[in-house]
Amino acid sequence: MHARPATVDDAAAIARVYNEGIADRVATFETRFRSPEDVRAWFDGAHPIVIVEEGDAVSAFAATSAYRGRDCYAGIADASVYVARAARCCGAGRIALAALIESAQQAGYWKLVSRIFPENRASRALIRSLGFREVGIYEKPGKLDGIWRDVVIVERLINVNLTA
């Protein structure tokens, strides 16, 4: 397995992996499956996206997106990681997230944030192993299948000089 920057040509494979995550109902509030066209819109030139390939197949992806619209938050990005069902618990998520952290730093981001369902132990262990810390819980920020769900808030500072 190896990571590389994603391109718009990877949109169909990214959509496939993301749609598995949507269907499994353990990693996102989203319920609408995404098309390759939806995913192509993620490629804005500012927010890194990486994929993990195993042979010719995409086994995982990690992506950044806008955190908040105000200028004071420009160095912060939301981060997400999704792993294809067949590749879970094999290290693909770790490879994807590590590559995303490096890509985000190179793009000038100083902090990554995310939210994880409390019972998603695998994701919580993964992010902890790569330097994220849990900073709190949003109580009932959204419904999934008609049920209010909590999320654990996580963050990771990226090695940059914040005094400049």
Side-chain angles (χ1 to χ4, degrees), residues 133-137 152-155:
R133 69 184 188 107
E134 296 183 357
V135 296
I137 294 177
V152 177
I153 309 156
V154 299
E155 68 178 7

Side-chain angles (χ1 to χ4, degrees), residues 79-140:
S80 59
V81 180
Y82 289 86
V83 180
R85 286 183 191 125
R88 291 181 188 158
C89 299
C90 298
R94 181 178 183 75
I95 292 168
L97 186 54
L100 186 71
I101 292 166
E102 183 177 325
S103 294
Q105 181 176 4
Q106 291 172 358
Y109 291 96
W110 61 270
K111 183 177 185 175
L112 296 176
V113 298
S114 194
R115 289 144 315 278
I116 302 170
F117 290 137
E119 66 277 6
N120 191 338
R121 287 182 167 77
S123 287
R124 290 173 71 187
L126 169 64
I127 57 98
R128 257 191 315 272
S129 76
L130 288 170
F132 284 77
R133 69 184 188 107
E134 296 183 357
V135 296
I137 294 177
Y138 284 138
E139 294 182 11
K140 300 173 181 32

Side-chain angles (χ1 to χ4, degrees), residues 5-163:
T7 70
V8 293
D9 292 337
D10 298 312
I14 292 169
R16 178 187 50 78
V17 173
Y18 188 42
N19 289 338
E20 288 181 1
I22 291 171
D24 292 344
R25 300 294 204 262
V26 296
T28 181
F29 282 107
E30 297 295 341
T31 57
R32 181 181 63 81
F33 292 127
R34 296 306 195 267
S35 69
E37 292 76 28
D38 293 327
V39 172
R40 283 187 194 98
W42 298 356
F43 290 87
D44 62 5
H47 295 94
I49 303 169
V50 298
I51 62 166
V52 174
E53 293 177 310
E54 189 169 8
D56 292 335
V58 172
S59 56
F61 77 91
T64 56
S65 59
Y67 170 65
R68 299 279 189 268
R70 294 174 50 196
D71 289 344
C72 61
Y73 298 120
I76 304 171
D78 266 312
S80 59
V81 180
Y82 289 86
V83 180
R85 286 183 191 125
R88 291 181 188 158
C89 299
C90 298
R94 181 178 183 75
I95 292 168
L97 186 54
L100 186 71
I101 292 166
E102 183 177 325
S103 294
Q105 181 176 4
Q106 291 172 358
Y109 291 96
W110 61 270
K111 183 177 185 175
L112 296 176
V113 298
S114 194
R115 289 144 315 278
I116 302 170
F117 290 137
E119 66 277 6
N120 191 338
R121 287 182 167 77
S123 287
R124 290 173 71 187
L126 169 64
I127 57 98
R128 257 191 315 272
S129 76
L130 288 170
F132 284 77
R133 69 184 188 107
E134 296 183 357
V135 296
I137 294 177
Y138 284 138
E139 294 182 11
K140 300 173 181 32
K143 284 185 178 181
L144 180 60
D145 298 327
I147 299 169
W148 286 103
R149 303 286 304 275
D150 295 344
V151 291
V152 177
I153 309 156
V154 299
E155 68 178 7
R156 186 189 193 281
L157 295 177
I158 299 174
N159 287 335
V160 294
N161 181 359
L162 296 179
T163 60

